[in-house]
Amino acid sequence: MVKLCAVPLSLEEANEFVSQHHRHHKPVVGHKFSIGAVNGDDICGAVIVGRPVARMRDDGLTLEVTRLCTDGTRNACSFLYGAAARAAFALGYKRIGTYIRKDEPGTSLVASGWRMIGETPGRSWSVPSRPRVDKTELIPRLLFEMEKNDA
């Protein structure tokens, strides 16, 4: 039986786990906090939480899960989404959100009490005034969120 426990992770530790286990994203540059899921002595998952990427959501009271990945351990994703929300609310934030690819089911988010609140088209971050190289596939994303009142 799996008994998961939460542990604090440095950004370096969390990014190392992301480098080894995430299917389609690379490590992040910054964070507010990171949490690991531990099964016995082994880290089996990591969540990185930071400021929202979309400037319209960056109101000072909202955080965003910018990376979450596991080694496949049962219930580790739900465990980490729940731990991230509880930590954000304990720090005084009012909302926490995350984007997932539209082709992902979102089962772990729903299981941990998050709700889907919107969909965004897959579009490039590159604009003529600020050219950028896209780092992931341009496919639609689903926005999930939990508010402090939901918890």
Side-chain angles (χ1 to χ4, degrees):
M1 183 169 159
V2 176
K3 173 65 174 152
L4 298 174
C5 296
V7 296
L9 294 179
S10 68
L11 181 59
E12 182 180 348
E13 292 168 319
N15 272 335
E16 178 62 29
F17 193 88
V18 167
S19 291
Q20 293 174 10
H21 298 281
H22 205 288
R23 292 187 310 260
H24 53 84
H25 279 302
K26 296 188 184 302
V28 299
V29 174
H31 76 154
K32 292 286 187 175
F33 62 87
S34 297
I35 301 171
V38 176
N39 181 17
D41 293 332
D42 301 319
I43 294 178
C44 60
V47 62
I48 301 174
V49 180
R51 291 175 46 203
V53 175
R55 69 173 184 253
M56 297 301 289
R57 291 183 53 80
D58 192 8
D59 60 6
L61 296 173
T62 303
L63 289 180
E64 183 170 301
V65 171
T66 55
R67 296 289 185 276
L68 185 140
C69 64
T70 73
D71 63 4
T73 298
R74 183 176 169 85
N75 298 325
C77 287
S78 298
F79 175 83
L80 286 168
Y81 279 124
R86 288 188 301 276
F89 300 149
L91 290 168
Y93 292 93
K94 304 298 181 201
R95 292 188 306 176
I96 186 168
T98 194
Y99 292 89
I100 64 169
R101 294 163 50 124
K102 190 174 181 178
D103 60 359
E104 295 175 327
T107 305
S108 296
L109 285 156
V110 173
S112 53
W114 296 50
R115 55 192 174 87
M116 190 185 66
I117 63 164
E119 182 176 338
T120 63
R123 62 179 174 252
S124 177
W125 283 93
S126 185
V127 293
S129 62
R130 190 168 181 183
R132 299 181 186 176
V133 175
D134 294 313
K135 297 176 184 172
T136 188
E137 295 176 81
L138 302 179
I139 63 172
R141 309 277 174 174
L142 302 176
L143 173 57
F144 280 79
E145 180 178 274
M146 182 182 274
E147 292 188 80
K148 189 168 187 174
N149 299 341
D150 296 343

